[in-house]
Amino acid sequence: MPRTPNSSPQTLSVLAALLAEPSRWRHGYELSKETGLASGSLYPILMRLTQQGMLEAEWQSPVAPGRPARHAYRLTSGGVALARTRLAERDRHSAPAQARPAMRVAW
Amino acid sequence: MVTASETPTSVSGSVVRRCARAILTRAVRRGAARGGVWGEAVLAEMEEARTDVEAIRWAAGGLWVSWRERTGRVGIVAAVFGWLFGGGWIRRLAVVAVLLVGLALLIHQFVLTVVYVPSVTMEPGVRAGDRVLVDRVGFRLTGLDVGDTIVVSPMGSGYTLRVVGLPGDELACRDGKLFRNGSPANEPYLAADTTTECQAVAVPDGHVYLLGDNRASARDSRVDGPMAEDKVAGRVVTRVSAAD
């Protein structure tokens, strides 16, 4: 069965976090906290989504002297559409999976 | 230059955190003023980590991100992992089972293995027909010692002998006893009435002198001379099953 791109649970959790406030620029660290993904898992996903044009990235100038410029991300319009589609698919698929244990009990 | 008097939110921080940042910086920039976009992005978030442990984990992930960005290998490892573990739980279970069997076979082949001992050379400790557990790696790390029971290559023959002399040792036999460097060897593993006959010998570099515990009938270094250490195939750990 061919796998749908951008449908892994990790990618979905990133999309969900970004879709919560689609207009706000988000930083890697807070996304990591929100999704529970380590930097080594999170950034490759951000890299891929950016390459695919689902995400736009920009360097934000430092908030205080001595602090580094930070890289920030938000979904493009294509990204918003993708996130909605994938998350809806997930919810459709997870519903029957939750019903299964109940059926076993019924046997 | 940042001084220690600045606030805790400054670019300073604990030694652990500074080391983590220094390592990641070096990996990302490799001497240049600035590294790749994604490596720099991870680096810029280092200040957000609240604890040392978090900082280390963040930096460790950053090393991976930076490596991927630089080599452009966007996912050979990730693709393989995704393919192996991405399926349903049945496939995941099957993959894990296959990997475990493969691992067990590798361990059995190269790390620990059980061999059948066909010979009487090591009686009474190991009798013909016993099976022994053989360590094939550990002895290379720790080196051999006097008293070790080893398996002579080729592997699978199960021909076992005991190390009684290491490189540089002077061995001799007097009154039916083995002497090592002038002192009587302590050989608690021998049967009570054993007598040892041998020619005086100095063990050359890279060789070990081997005797069977069954001194009367073993074919060992008294006949074949000291054996090159790289011919040792393994060290017997323990006997796992006795002859019927």
Side-chain angles (χ1 to χ4, degrees):
Chain A
M1 192 179 73
R3 295 205 305 135
T4 319
N6 296 323
S7 66
S8 76
Q10 292 83 1
T11 305
L12 289 177
S13 66
V14 173
L15 290 175
L18 289 163
L19 192 60
E21 288 176 85
S23 58
R24 191 157 73 86
W25 287 98
R26 309 293 303 273
H27 293 120
Y29 186 79
E30 55 171 342
L31 286 174
S32 162
K33 283 273 144 192
E34 263 186 63
T35 58
L37 294 173
S39 54
S41 309
L42 171 69
Y43 277 86
I45 292 170
L46 295 177
M47 287 158 84
R48 193 177 64 238
L49 290 174
T50 307
Q51 263 169 12
Q52 295 168 348
M54 298 302 156
L55 214 57
E56 51 183 337
E58 70 167 26
W59 286 102
Q60 295 183 336
S61 40
V63 289
R67 306 278 291 190
R70 294 177 71 186
H71 210 214
Y73 317 94
R74 72 179 180 195
L75 292 169
T76 60
S77 53
V80 170
L82 174 85
R84 291 217 172 101
T85 315
R86 289 286 178 271
L87 291 169
E89 280 166 8
R90 175 185 67 176
D91 296 341
R92 254 208 316 285
H93 286 140
S94 62
Q98 281 161 3
R100 236 177 269 140
M103 280 171 66
R104 268 189 212 138
V105 172
W107 290 346
Chain B
M1 192 66 204
V2 177
T3 60
S5 64
E6 282 182 58
T7 56
T9 55
S10 74
V11 189
S12 174
S14 74
V15 175
V16 174
R17 183 182 283 252
R18 290 210 315 266
C19 284
R21 190 191 309 107
I23 291 169
L24 182 58
T25 306
R26 187 171 284 222
V28 168
R29 298 191 180 155
R30 313 176 92 207
R34 217 168 153 71
V37 173
W38 294 100
E40 287 287 343
V42 179
L43 194 54
E45 301 292 302
M46 274 296 286
E47 313 313 322
E48 307 303 314
R50 284 185 189 85
T51 64
D52 285 353
V53 175
E54 243 175 40
I56 290 171
R57 291 189 56 209
W58 190 261
L63 293 179
W64 164 238
V65 170
S66 165
W67 181 80
R68 265 181 72 158
E69 184 181 18
R70 202 170 55 244
T71 60
R73 255 177 252 182
V74 181
I76 289 185
V77 178
V80 168
F81 268 77
W83 183 80
L84 284 179
F85 299 106
W89 68 270
I90 293 179
R91 184 157 113 200
R92 230 175 296 169
L93 205 66
V95 167
V96 168
V98 167
L99 288 179
L100 282 180
V101 169
L103 190 68
L105 285 175
L106 279 178
I107 286 175
H108 181 258
Q109 190 65 30
F110 296 110
V111 183
L112 278 175
T113 191
V114 172
V115 300
Y116 174 81
V117 179
S119 70
V120 297
T121 54
M122 286 299 280
E123 292 189 351
V126 179
R127 294 189 300 153
D130 287 354
R131 282 184 173 76
V132 291
L133 184 67
V134 176
D135 147 39
R136 307 198 59 185
V137 173
F139 76 93
R140 294 177 211 275
L141 305 175
T142 61
L144 289 170
D145 205 355
V146 166
D148 286 346
T149 301
I150 56 108
V151 176
V152 181
S153 60
M155 199 59 201
S157 72
Y159 197 75
T160 55
L161 288 171
R162 193 177 296 275
V163 176
V164 299
L166 297 173
D169 281 348
E170 308 259 355
L171 300 174
C173 292
R174 280 202 299 278
D175 311 325
K177 294 252 178 275
L178 176 71
F179 283 71
R180 184 181 311 109
N181 301 322
S183 331
N186 176 25
E187 298 195 285
Y189 37 77
L190 297 181
D193 55 349
T194 303
T195 59
T196 307
E197 306 297 336
C198 67
Q199 304 279 319
V201 64
V203 184
D205 268 357
H207 287 67
V208 285
Y209 197 86
L210 305 170
L211 290 180
D213 289 356
N214 185 353
R215 297 282 150 86
S217 58
R219 174 175 171 158
D220 48 33
S221 286
R222 290 173 295 180
V223 177
D224 297 327
M227 196 178 72
E229 280 178 298
D230 57 18
K231 291 232 174 70
V232 175
R235 175 167 57 187
V236 172
V237 180
T238 183
R239 197 169 67 168
V240 289
S241 78
D244 301 322

